[in-house]
Amino acid sequence: MNQSVARSVALVMLLTLAACGGGGDASGSDQGEAVGGGDTTTTTPGTGTTLSATRTGEGTFYGATGQGNCSFDASPDNLMVAAMNQTDYAGSAACGEFVKVTGPKGTVTVRITDRCPECKPGDIDLSEQAFAKVADPVAGRVPISWQVVAGDVSGPVAYRYKEGSTRYWVAIQVRNHRLPITALEIKPSGSTAWITVERLEYNYFVHPAAIAAGPVEVRVTALGGATLLETLPEPQGGLVVQGSAQFP
């Protein structure tokens, strides 16, 4: 059995998916206060649409909770989660993406919530529950193949300000996204240009410089080029804002 290191309102514009297929730590975060957004109806392709080439490696398992290096909350009611190897974790780019894993016994779709520093490229460390769907747990380590897919999520994308966020240091996490996130930009009050925000290894987009007081426009881009636009309240630590749409 593998032992892994503890892991780390405005109108919406939806573009066509172009292709098929100062602070912070790596600990899990507490659920913040939620602010609702408007309802939007979108047409979506089928869940499980393939978004990447097939990769191969080895599958192992650990006592996952849903927390880890991606800084998500624990998800005791859904432990179909996994930790991505260091290479494919890609500095947290894999966080929140859905991966269809096939092993000797079957196939399971998991959400990436953690990082496996010791895993080789192509390897995935699955929760115990997910591993049992693709292999006999007695095996411990098995050959697997996997692909990134569109996730089965309900409701809109959500945005979370990390604890400590103010207009002087802003950290934003994107949650509940059915497609992998590739970029986040902000346009503070009074600004005319978008600012690209760096994504750190603990899965927050961090802008370490002061911005103007007031609401912040956010533009999020997913794999394939689809974008969402949202206006968030002025940064406030721990605040979760429910967006108004989901990626197509």
Side-chain angles (χ1 to χ4, degrees):
M1 180 182 303
N2 181 58
Q3 293 292 332
S4 295
V5 176
R7 324 297 187 201
S8 29
V9 187
L11 188 64
V12 175
M13 290 171 44
L14 295 177
L15 302 182
T16 303
L17 187 62
C20 184
D25 54 37
S27 61
S29 57
D30 295 330
Q31 181 69 30
E33 176 188 358
V35 176
D39 293 330
T40 299
T41 301
T42 60
T43 300
T44 60
T47 296
T49 300
T50 300
L51 304 176
S52 76
T54 299
R55 300 290 309 280
T56 59
E58 291 187 314
T60 50
F61 65 92
Y62 70 108
T65 66
Q67 293 180 307
N69 278 182
C70 291
S71 301
F72 294 134
D73 299 323
S75 56
D77 294 331
N78 183 358
L79 292 177
M80 294 298 108
V81 297
M84 184 61 79
N85 68 80
Q86 179 72 28
T87 299
D88 293 307
Y89 184 78
S92 81
C95 287
E97 72 182 13
F98 290 83
V99 177
K100 184 171 69 174
V101 181
T102 300
K105 180 179 173 181
T107 299
V108 66
T109 297
V110 294
R111 179 171 60 99
I112 300 302
T113 61
D114 208 348
R115 174 176 65 101
C116 180
E118 69 272 27
C119 290
K120 298 176 182 178
D123 291 358
I124 297 181
D125 203 13
L126 304 161
S127 68
E128 296 172 281
Q129 294 84 348
F131 186 92
K133 291 184 178 293
V134 301
D136 187 337
V138 173
R141 181 181 295 273
V142 297
I144 59 170
S145 62
W146 55 273
Q147 299 171 307
V148 179
V149 298
D152 181 11
V153 301
S154 60
V157 168
Y159 307 84
R160 186 182 194 276
Y161 284 124
K162 184 170 176 57
E163 288 79 5
S165 290
T166 67
R167 70 183 189 88
Y168 300 101
W169 182 86
V170 185
I172 304 172
Q173 181 187 76
V174 185
R175 296 182 167 193
N176 196 49
H177 46 92
R178 69 186 303 269
L179 303 179
I181 303 301
T182 60
L184 182 144
E185 302 159 277
I186 62 172
K187 189 190 292 185
S189 294
S191 296
T192 58
W194 289 100
I195 301 170
T196 300
V197 183
E198 181 183 7
R199 189 180 197 172
L200 301 187
E201 193 171 63
Y202 56 91
N203 191 35
Y204 274 86
F205 291 87
V206 178
H207 181 64
I211 60 174
V216 180
E217 284 189 74
V218 175
R219 181 166 65 189
V220 183
T221 303
L223 182 67
T227 63
L228 296 179
L229 289 179
E230 202 71 51
T231 298
L232 306 185
E234 183 171 322
Q236 175 185 330
L239 181 67
V240 176
V241 180
Q242 296 299 327
S244 51
Q246 181 59 255
F247 287 109

